[in-house]
Amino acid sequence: MILVTGASGLLGANFCALAQRRLGAVTGVFHGHPVQPRGWDLVQADLREDGAAEALVDRCRPAWIVHCAALTNLDFCEEHPEEAERTNVLMTRRVAIAAARAGARLVHISTDGVFDGETGGYTEVSPTSPINVYGRTKLAGERAVMDILKDALIVRTNIYGWNAQSGKLSLAEWILDRLERGLRVPGFHDAFFTPILVDHLGEFLLDMMAQRLTGIYHVAGSQAISKRDFATRLAEIFELDASLVDSISVIGGPLKAPRPRNPTLDTRKAALALARPMPDIASGLIDFKEKRG
């Protein structure tokens, strides 16, 4: 059985549905935002609380724990560092301890935000140097996992896709919503990333689990792209007005947390292990359009 934390989030909900179709027994864990499960079990727990993770794992006895739960809003983390620490570090440590105690394998989902974004093309052994609270707490979470579980799988990524949670939008959903309403979209021409569709990431995760891979892997898109060009490509795929996408700089903007300008990930290690390349921008956006509910 697979236990998935953060089951109401973008990755958690989509991964639960995918894992249930491929493997069967899946239990998702949510804290404050329930979603409607489709064939998989859903339980409520605050895994930040002392003993909660161990009690849940003892009850469910999973073979695998996929730890997706996190605070991912960069500006919220910047303004609430103690809350970010409690969720992204303390909770992660408690989940890792519970996994070790029960003999369960752990997949921990991390981020490209552990890098400062000065150079781009980061490999798994590139020096980490996060520049905001979110990145620092996610890196601390990685280190907690590695200290407790030597055979854990840590996956750094940057995702987009369709949210199961009403009212919560991924970057691609937010861009699409504005374009369809005829509103202008601010596109950072100097902020780059290597995005991957959440459904594609889920497939890779299941294959990595089947191979029992351990250590750190970068699983992201095969192509680096600016946020502006990503928005433009999305407009073109959905046959919307790409001229609504403005070109602005990430420097000096209204964002509260500093953003790494080029935290793009080198995915060659994962591609070699899985014997296939990571998806490109076009294939991800085409699948994103096809999966619209």
Side-chain angles (χ1 to χ4, degrees):
M1 192 272 281
I2 300 175
L3 184 68
V4 182
T5 71
S8 60
L10 175 59
L11 176 57
N14 282 283
F15 182 78
C16 282
L18 175 63
Q20 192 278 329
R21 290 195 298 270
R22 277 185 50 171
L23 301 177
V26 177
T27 296
V29 188
F30 77 97
H31 176 212
H33 303 282
V35 294
Q36 184 63 45
R38 288 170 264 175
W40 41 278
D41 296 326
L42 187 67
V43 298
Q44 193 277 337
D46 185 352
L47 301 179
R48 301 170 301 176
E49 297 295 331
D50 187 27
E54 290 181 344
L56 179 64
V57 172
D58 284 347
R59 185 167 75 249
C60 295
R61 306 304 299 178
W64 286 89
I65 301 172
V66 180
H67 185 46
C68 305
L71 272 181
T72 59
N73 185 305
L74 273 67
D75 290 341
F76 182 89
C77 288
E78 203 71 16
E79 295 185 308
H80 303 85
E82 292 182 358
E83 185 69 11
E85 175 84 13
R86 186 173 179 232
T87 300
N88 294 343
V89 186
L90 177 61
M91 178 176 65
T92 298
R93 182 180 294 115
R94 287 176 167 165
V95 169
I97 290 170
R101 182 171 174 265
R105 300 291 298 273
L106 178 66
V107 181
H108 174 59
I109 306 302
S110 191
T111 173
D112 57 5
V114 301
F115 298 108
D116 60 16
E118 290 299 312
T119 60
Y122 294 101
T123 72
E124 288 79 358
V125 297
S126 296
T128 52
S129 183
I131 64 172
N132 53 43
V133 171
Y134 171 68
R136 288 193 288 271
T137 57
K138 289 297 289 182
L139 180 59
E142 284 188 13
R143 290 172 173 168
V145 168
M146 289 186 285
D147 286 345
I148 295 163
L149 287 165
K150 304 305 180 186
D151 64 347
L153 172 61
I154 295 173
V155 173
R156 294 173 180 154
T157 190
N158 192 315
I159 58 173
Y160 67 94
W162 298 108
N163 262 292
Q165 195 179 138
S166 177
K168 192 167 185 180
L169 303 179
S170 70
L171 174 63
E173 290 173 294
W174 180 81
I175 293 169
L176 183 61
D177 175 67
R178 293 188 67 84
L179 289 172
E180 290 184 329
R181 290 191 289 141
L183 301 176
R184 304 207 68 81
V185 175
F188 297 128
H189 62 79
D190 53 356
F192 296 83
F193 67 147
T194 39
I196 186 170
L197 183 65
V198 66
D199 308 79
H200 293 169
L201 175 61
E203 294 280 1
F204 286 125
L205 290 178
L206 288 172
D207 291 345
M208 296 172 85
M209 291 162 64
Q211 292 188 36
R212 302 179 74 84
L213 297 182
T214 64
I216 299 174
Y217 284 83
H218 291 173
V219 184
S222 63
Q223 293 175 297
I225 191 170
S226 71
K227 299 290 179 71
R228 177 199 61 194
D229 290 345
F230 180 78
T232 299
R233 295 286 296 277
L234 188 149
E236 292 168 351
I237 292 290
F238 279 83
E239 300 179 343
L240 297 168
D241 185 2
S243 70
L244 290 171
V245 179
D246 294 324
S247 181
I248 65 172
S249 175
V250 73
I251 300 173
L255 304 173
K256 297 179 178 65
R259 262 60 169 182
R261 292 178 62 185
N262 187 12
T264 52
L265 300 176
D266 184 317
T267 59
R268 286 177 292 181
K269 179 183 175 182
L272 181 63
L274 295 166
R276 66 185 190 276
M278 298 293 111
D280 60 18
I281 299 297
S283 62
L285 287 176
I286 289 169
D287 279 2
F288 176 65
K289 181 179 181 181
E290 291 177 348
K291 293 180 185 299
R292 187 173 199 175

